Amino acid sequence: MRVKKTFNESEEIVVSKKEIRSFILNCMEKIGCDESHAQQLADILITSDYRGHYSHGIQRLHIYVQDVASGACDKNGTPKILKQKGSTAWVDGANLLGPVVGNFCIKLAVEKAREFGIGWVVANNSNHFGIAGWYAMHAMNQGMVGMAFTNTSPCVFPTRSAQKSLGSNPICMAAPATKGDNFFLDMASTTVAYGKIEVAEKRGATHIPNGWGADQNGVETNDPQVVLGGGGLQPLGGQEATGGYKGTGLCMMVEIMCGIMAGSAFGKSIRQWQTTDQTADLGQCFVAIDPECFAPGFAERLQSFLDETRNLEPLNEEQPVLVAGDPERGHMAMCDELDGIVYKKSQVLHLLKLADNLDVAMFKAKRLNDILACEGNESD
């Protein structure tokens, strides 16, 4: 695809992955975080922004810093296996950074899948682990089908409820096809992730679509500030008439696989978002499946299915049919073309305050005019 040369240097910047990584590591070093833990956090935050999931990228850095600096999240240690039987395991996350817990668990799940055909690992006593896709991708890169789930702080009004009692509880599945192609679904059980509304508000949006959020009484609103100022999210589907009860069911399904199965906090008992007066004690679930245990030719059959779907006649010729993972592939191609990650300046302004508070040098942006000098550049 051709990268559209529509960047506005007055509004956007391009930052190299190296600059972003150094900034993250310097911030975490200032609060005494274990270096290997900080590296794992940097990996997932950079990957999130690279894939276009800005709601879970460097925008979240100040939250991880706050959790560790306050002592609500431990800065060093190792997750511990509490129980295992055959292809399953139950892990104590030791109140460590979510990416540290998640990496430990998905690696364990892959090991079990190699031996038993499937690995199913749940963890309690964990923290925010970033994009679920990071963990499913690890399994996929080992030739497995990967899945990852987590519960989150209560921010969702279940259908017909005037109270928030569920998290946005993401669902992810990644499956390998051929020649590097794949099916890659990474989604919240809500219409949008909470962070997407935060990003919209930081970019200056004053109106969000129907079905995204509700005010403090659970009544649908289009004002992002109302949602962020004590309101909450709507389950996938929005209102009951448009299928919101299905989203409520998905939120609860994830909660069962994570909070209930892992023995962690669940539902309304999970601490409120961005508070540090208690540990998060999140529950998470990681699954790896070896497709070779089943019908032969999984990757080839999946590739045929993906191609068939993409080749469907579109409603609009300028908007081809996509499969899960295609938007992210397009975003990564753009980043590769520009040799960095594109951010709205408004997205990173709050990081200036973080840098100042920690006495850390802010990352440097590239000059877009220099990068875009060659109009003929294309990416495949």
Side-chain angles (χ1 to χ4, degrees):
M1 66 182 74
R2 176 179 289 274
V3 177
K4 295 180 179 179
K5 305 301 189 288
T6 56
F7 302 103
N8 185 332
E9 193 167 6
S10 67
E11 297 180 1
E12 296 176 322
I13 58 174
V14 174
V15 185
S16 71
K17 293 179 183 179
K18 182 178 179 180
E19 281 282 330
I20 299 171
R21 176 175 291 277
S22 294
F23 180 73
I24 295 170
L25 295 182
N26 288 340
C27 288
M28 299 308 289
E29 180 184 9
K30 280 285 185 175
I31 57 174
C33 183
D34 180 274
E35 183 179 357
S36 68
H37 291 194
Q39 289 281 3
Q40 292 177 71
L41 176 64
D43 287 341
I44 196 167
L45 296 185
I46 293 169
T47 298
S48 181
D49 287 342
Y50 177 54
R51 294 182 64 83
H53 292 290
Y54 292 112
S55 61
H56 285 66
I58 198 170
Q59 170 182 290
R60 285 276 185 263
L61 178 59
H62 72 285
I63 295 174
Y64 295 102
V65 168
Q66 178 178 284
D67 277 355
V68 172
S70 68
C73 173
D74 289 343
K75 60 184 69 176
N76 52 59
T78 304
K80 177 183 178 182
I81 298 174
L82 297 172
K83 183 192 297 185
Q84 55 183 328
K85 179 180 180 182
S87 62
T88 66
W90 177 35
V91 171
D92 176 359
N95 194 34
L96 299 171
L97 285 169
V100 176
V101 179
N103 286 338
F104 179 91
C105 290
I106 192 61
K107 290 176 182 177
L108 179 59
V110 169
E111 289 176 9
K112 289 184 173 295
R114 287 198 179 105
E115 181 176 0
F116 299 102
I118 184 171
W120 189 294
V121 179
V122 297
N124 63 11
N125 202 15
S126 187
N127 287 280
H128 194 285
F129 75 176
I131 53 170
W134 172 259
Y135 310 102
M137 180 167 56
H138 174 80
M140 182 181 69
N141 290 340
Q142 308 299 312
M144 307 280 183
V145 174
M147 294 190 287
F149 313 85
T150 182
N151 63 11
T152 75
S153 297
C155 59
V156 180
F157 292 93
T159 303
R160 300 187 179 184
S161 173
Q163 290 183 287
K164 291 176 288 188
S165 67
L166 295 171
S168 55
N169 296 6
I171 295 170
C172 182
M173 175 182 171
T178 63
K179 298 179 181 178
D181 202 359
N182 53 65
F183 174 87
F184 204 123
L185 177 69
D186 188 356
M187 55 172 262
S189 296
T190 47
T191 305
V192 295
Y194 193 83
K196 190 167 185 177
I197 298 180
E198 291 177 324
V199 170
E201 194 271 338
K202 283 186 173 68
R203 288 180 170 181
T206 58
H207 186 279
I208 55 176
N210 292 337
W212 282 28
D215 65 18
Q216 62 183 358
N217 299 312
V219 179
E220 185 174 71
T221 180
N222 300 110
D223 188 335
Q225 292 189 356
V226 171
V227 176
L228 300 176
L233 301 178
Q234 294 192 73
L236 182 63
Q239 297 295 296
E240 183 173 6
T242 53
Y245 55 91
K246 297 180 181 179
T248 295
L250 288 174
C251 284
M252 296 183 72
M253 179 191 78
V254 173
E255 191 68 81
I256 292 168
M257 293 194 299
C258 296
I260 307 301
M261 189 173 288
S264 70
F266 60 87
K268 292 173 66 177
S269 69
I270 300 176
R271 74 176 186 187
Q272 292 299 308
W273 179 233
Q274 296 194 51
T275 61
T276 56
D277 56 326
Q278 63 185 84
T279 59
D281 189 20
L282 296 183
Q284 291 153 357
C285 177
F286 307 85
V287 183
I289 304 168
D290 183 358
E292 293 299 316
C293 294
F294 307 100
F298 177 87
E300 292 75 18
R301 287 164 58 80
L302 175 56
Q303 189 65 58
S304 177
F305 179 45
L306 298 179
D307 293 342
E308 174 185 89
T309 304
R310 290 179 178 128
N311 291 329
L312 293 171
E313 182 179 350
L315 290 170
N316 184 332
E317 290 295 334
E318 296 183 359
Q319 296 180 320
V321 178
L322 304 177
V323 301
D326 283 348
E328 290 85 350
R329 276 181 273 274
H331 190 272
M332 290 186 286
M334 178 189 69
C335 291
D336 292 340
E337 177 87 3
L338 298 173
D339 191 27
I341 299 176
V342 178
Y343 295 96
K344 291 285 187 182
K345 290 181 179 178
S346 56
Q347 282 179 259
V348 298
L349 284 177
H350 73 286
L351 294 173
L352 291 170
K353 181 179 179 181
L354 178 64
D356 185 59
N357 288 342
L358 296 177
D359 192 24
V360 169
M362 185 64 173
F363 53 74
K364 298 178 181 178
K366 296 186 174 186
R367 287 180 54 84
L368 276 175
N369 286 340
D370 296 338
I371 296 170
L372 302 177
C374 180
E375 291 294 325
N377 286 345
E378 293 185 4
S379 63
D380 297 327

